[in-house]
Amino acid sequence: MQTPLELVDALRSLPFDEALRYLVKMLYPEVFDPFRVPGAVLCVQPHPDDCEFGAGGTIALLAGDGRDVYYVTVTDGRMGTFNPKVYPEELARMRRKEQEEAARLLGARDIIWFDFMDTDVPVKDLRGRLITEIRRLKPSIVIAPDPYTRYEAHSDHINTGRAVLEALILSGLPHVNDVDIRNGLEPYSPRLVMLYYTSSPNGYVDVGGVLNLKVDALARHGSQFPGRDFVEFLVKVNAILYGKLAGVTYAEGFKVIPVDLLHVAPFIERI
């Protein structure tokens, strides 16, 4: 293992991109192999079905490896229909049942429902609740939507991703959400965040062996999709495109970032 000054000397002789990658590899090797990080996993989704669509194969692999995988579902998805004859409260009930079936199929241990208003997710309120759940569940990896994906227009996705990133850098500070500490929860910081729906992936998971399971899970969301064939089309198109970047047939892509580098690390987007 290099000393800090030896690492500095090594960086000085390398071109920028090589130097940055070398630095991260030396300090945070798990960025290039997230599955090496032991412990629980928390997947945060703006609406029912986002964990399945964005990371369903990865969730299935992690759960199959014996990990405790938890979901946080931020909204109840009551606005997610083009059918004016389906009322919001009815749709919310349908989507909760669909989500429970899908998560169970992938092997998730539990689903936490926050029930914020669909299409109106507040960053600060969500951040506080996420900090509490992070301290309670102590995940080593958090999976969430990338709030910086260019052209993402849904504010729930943007605000959920932002709230997750803010919660990750604050959950280790005892005087943030200090009621948690008074209730017996200790400050805690996860190791990694894996951002799905990303346009700048730096990590890939080969999901070829669990692709049918991912399709089956997403197809449980019958209120959102016209049938399994359409779900299979959506899943395979995304998996093929990420797979081409990864050099495999089917992949899920993520922006993988050490939690330590979510603040004052301006070059992290270049990893």
Side-chain angles (χ1 to χ4, degrees):
M1 182 68 179
Q2 291 177 306
T3 67
L5 291 181
E6 288 172 339
L7 181 55
V8 168
D9 287 338
L11 295 179
R12 190 178 292 116
S13 64
L14 296 171
F16 177 86
D17 287 334
E18 289 182 33
L20 182 60
R21 187 174 179 87
Y22 183 78
L23 176 66
V24 173
K25 187 175 181 180
M26 290 295 102
L27 298 180
Y28 304 98
E30 63 272 20
V31 167
F32 305 103
D33 184 14
F35 278 43
R36 71 187 290 169
V37 180
V41 178
L42 176 62
C43 188
V44 183
Q45 57 181 359
H47 312 100
D49 79 11
D50 284 314
C51 282
E52 282 80 37
F53 194 19
T58 300
I59 290 168
L61 291 169
L62 287 166
D65 193 40
R67 307 288 193 95
D68 288 334
V69 179
Y70 300 93
Y71 280 30
V72 161
T73 305
V74 174
T75 75
D76 59 13
R78 65 176 53 216
M79 299 298 180
T81 184
F82 293 102
N83 185 351
K85 296 181 180 179
V86 177
Y87 289 100
E89 56 272 19
E90 177 187 357
L91 182 60
R93 288 193 294 270
M94 292 168 58
R95 299 199 69 181
R96 183 176 291 252
K97 183 175 183 296
E98 292 167 353
Q99 182 59 81
E100 289 170 351
E101 292 177 0
R104 189 180 308 118
L105 191 61
L106 293 181
R109 179 169 179 175
D110 194 15
I111 307 173
I112 298 101
W113 295 86
F114 282 175
D115 290 330
F116 284 104
M117 177 58 68
D118 193 0
T119 72
D120 194 22
V121 171
V123 173
K124 186 175 180 180
D125 291 347
L126 175 56
R127 181 185 73 194
R129 294 189 64 179
L130 286 169
I131 288 171
T132 299
E133 292 303 324
I134 288 169
R135 290 169 173 170
R136 183 176 70 88
L137 298 172
K138 292 182 168 49
S140 57
I141 298 173
V142 175
I143 303 174
D146 189 341
Y148 302 112
T149 294
R150 186 173 292 185
Y151 307 121
E152 173 56 65
H154 201 312
S155 63
D156 286 353
H157 285 238
I158 297 166
N159 290 350
T160 295
R162 282 185 55 203
V164 167
L165 297 182
E166 291 182 18
L168 288 171
I169 67 167
L170 297 176
S171 60
L173 303 178
H175 300 301
V176 177
N177 273 28
D178 60 351
V179 67
D180 290 345
I181 309 306
R182 297 174 190 180
N183 288 335
L185 295 176
E186 298 179 353
Y188 175 81
S189 295
R191 182 72 175 170
L192 281 182
V193 61
M194 299 174 65
L195 299 173
Y196 59 86
Y197 296 156
T198 186
S199 57
S200 53
N202 64 342
Y204 305 91
V205 177
D206 185 340
V207 296
V210 292
L211 198 73
N212 286 334
L213 181 59
K214 173 173 178 166
V215 172
D216 288 343
L218 191 59
R220 292 296 194 274
H221 297 276
S223 68
Q224 304 299 294
F225 304 105
R228 192 183 188 283
D229 287 349
F230 183 71
V231 171
E232 184 173 358
F233 166 76
L234 287 178
V235 168
K236 285 189 172 179
V237 164
N238 280 276
I240 286 170
L241 293 175
Y242 277 127
K244 288 182 181 298
L245 296 175
V248 299
T249 304
Y250 297 117
E252 289 174 345
F254 300 91
K255 185 66 173 181
V256 184
I257 307 174
V259 169
D260 289 352
L261 300 183
L262 288 175
H263 180 49
V264 294
F267 301 118
I268 195 65
E269 67 184 62
R270 297 282 294 272
I271 294 177

